[in-house]
Amino acid sequence: MERRHVFGGAIALTGLVLTAIQIVHGVQQLDGFEGQTRGIVFSVETVPFVLVGLALTYVGYWLSLQDEYEPDLPRIALWGLGGGLLFASVAALIVFSQQVKPTVDILDQAQYIAMNHVTIGVVVGVLVGLYDARGRAHQRALEAERDRTEQFANKAMDINTYGRELTRSDSVDAVSALCIQALQGFLGLTETAFVVVGDEDYRLVDSTMVDVPDSALAELARRSRDQEPTTVVIHDSLPGPLSDRADGALSLRITELDGGSAVLLALADDPDGFNDEDVQLLELLLAHAATALDFVSDEHTIDAGR
């Protein structure tokens, strides 16, 4: 027998037992009443609780048919047991309070009884609400993780699309244009540059930075020559002309080219705002670009004398 049948059957049986007890108690409370009054007393004192017991029976039957709740059935049963014990203790306290004051009219005590129940009800409601809130928070976290994974997958597919275009490139300029376009599209980085830099010489292939000396870009690119190929490095310290434009920069060393290093640069106002997924996507783009550059004919050389 599956566990859901055991727990569901136990809950349903509990509901039936409680329903039977409510009916017996309801009949017992009719003593001393006659005629239409008996029907009113039974309707008010017994019928609502009988319906609650039958509802519990139905819930147990329904749970026995649900596969998805099987792991949580012990927790549900413990919540039910805990709730029953809690309200049983409240009832015991009320009965005890009436016993120590037997001469007090029950109507005079109505407000105190009501407030006792309200106090316990609020506590139980808050605890159940907290449990529900934790469940919803967990659900929101799962949904956020799912959305993040989907976004990463979609971006990775787009990067692969750029990769196919890069493999069709026939020049360094074409590779540079695609890499800059990808940086602008995926990360929103508008100030970018593609530099081929050697020990003393360099060639600025493309740049979207206005009024920035080529030598400053070459200096930043030259700092990246010790990087491993197809890696991303974040720079907090920038050459003078660049430090006035942004708080940091990314250098993306692609591969060796024409005796120097092909480096993709991008200024960033928040260099720490890139997560691991962004870095992985950039490294994937660099891998495609490195493959493309390996097949590009060596039509350009680094201009000397700059």
Side-chain angles (χ1 to χ4, degrees):
M1 181 179 294
E2 297 184 9
R3 185 166 68 169
R4 71 175 186 274
H5 294 150
V6 175
F7 281 92
I11 294 174
L13 180 60
T14 301
L16 288 175
V17 171
L18 292 175
T19 300
I21 293 174
Q22 290 293 342
I23 292 174
V24 172
H25 286 178
V27 173
Q28 291 175 348
Q29 292 181 66
L30 295 180
D31 295 341
F33 295 97
E34 296 180 357
Q36 188 177 3
T37 306
R38 293 171 61 90
I40 296 175
V41 171
F42 190 82
S43 299
V44 174
E45 294 286 345
T46 305
V47 171
F49 299 101
V50 169
L51 293 177
V52 172
L54 292 176
L56 183 60
T57 300
Y58 174 76
V59 169
Y61 166 76
W62 181 78
L63 286 174
S64 68
L65 302 178
Q66 307 301 313
D67 293 336
E68 62 269 29
Y69 292 107
E70 188 161 355
D72 299 315
L73 285 175
R75 183 186 299 273
I76 294 173
L78 286 175
W79 270 100
L81 179 61
L85 293 176
L86 175 63
F87 281 92
S89 63
V90 173
L93 287 173
I94 293 174
V95 171
F96 178 75
S97 67
Q98 296 304 310
Q99 291 298 318
V100 298
K101 298 180 293 183
T103 60
V104 178
D105 190 348
I106 187 65
L107 293 178
D108 294 336
Q109 297 296 306
Q111 58 179 327
Y112 306 113
I113 296 173
M115 288 310 302
N116 289 339
H117 280 80
V118 167
T119 302
I120 299 300
V122 169
V123 172
V124 172
V126 169
L127 292 176
V128 173
L130 177 60
Y131 181 79
D132 180 58
R134 290 181 61 186
R136 291 178 181 271
H138 181 64
Q139 182 180 0
R140 288 193 295 269
L142 290 178
E143 291 175 351
E145 180 66 18
R146 180 198 61 195
D147 293 341
R148 186 183 62 81
T149 302
E150 289 180 354
Q151 291 176 0
F152 178 79
N154 292 333
K155 288 183 178 180
M157 292 176 60
D158 292 337
I159 288 289
N160 286 329
T161 300
Y162 274 97
R164 288 192 295 270
E165 293 299 322
L166 284 167
T167 58
R168 301 189 183 102
S169 302
D170 57 1
S171 66
V172 176
D173 298 85
V175 173
S176 170
L178 286 171
C179 289
I180 288 177
Q181 182 180 351
L183 282 182
Q184 293 175 339
F186 291 119
L187 298 180
L189 300 173
T190 57
E191 295 191 299
T192 57
F194 191 104
V195 185
V196 180
V197 62
D199 292 332
E200 299 293 337
D201 305 322
Y202 67 90
R203 179 166 63 89
L204 181 62
V205 180
D206 275 319
S207 176
T208 62
M209 304 183 196
V210 181
D211 298 331
V212 174
D214 294 351
S215 58
L217 296 175
E219 180 182 348
L220 180 60
R222 191 168 286 114
R223 295 180 185 179
S224 309
R225 295 199 67 191
D226 294 334
Q227 291 178 214
E228 292 294 326
T230 67
T231 57
V232 179
V233 171
I234 298 175
H235 299 272
D236 295 325
S237 175
L238 304 180
L242 295 177
S243 62
D244 298 332
R245 300 175 68 97
D247 295 330
L250 302 179
S251 66
L252 302 87
R253 182 169 180 261
I254 302 175
T255 188
E256 292 293 322
L257 181 68
D258 297 339
S261 297
V263 181
L264 191 60
L265 303 175
L267 298 184
D269 291 329
D270 184 15
D272 296 327
F274 301 103
N275 54 37
D276 293 339
E277 287 80 5
D278 293 332
V279 173
Q280 291 175 18
L281 290 171
L282 289 175
E283 290 177 347
L284 180 60
L285 175 66
L286 295 180
H288 287 305
T291 302
L293 288 176
D294 288 340
F295 288 98
V296 170
S297 300
D298 188 13
E299 297 177 355
H300 306 282
T301 57
I302 301 175
D303 295 334
R306 293 193 180 183

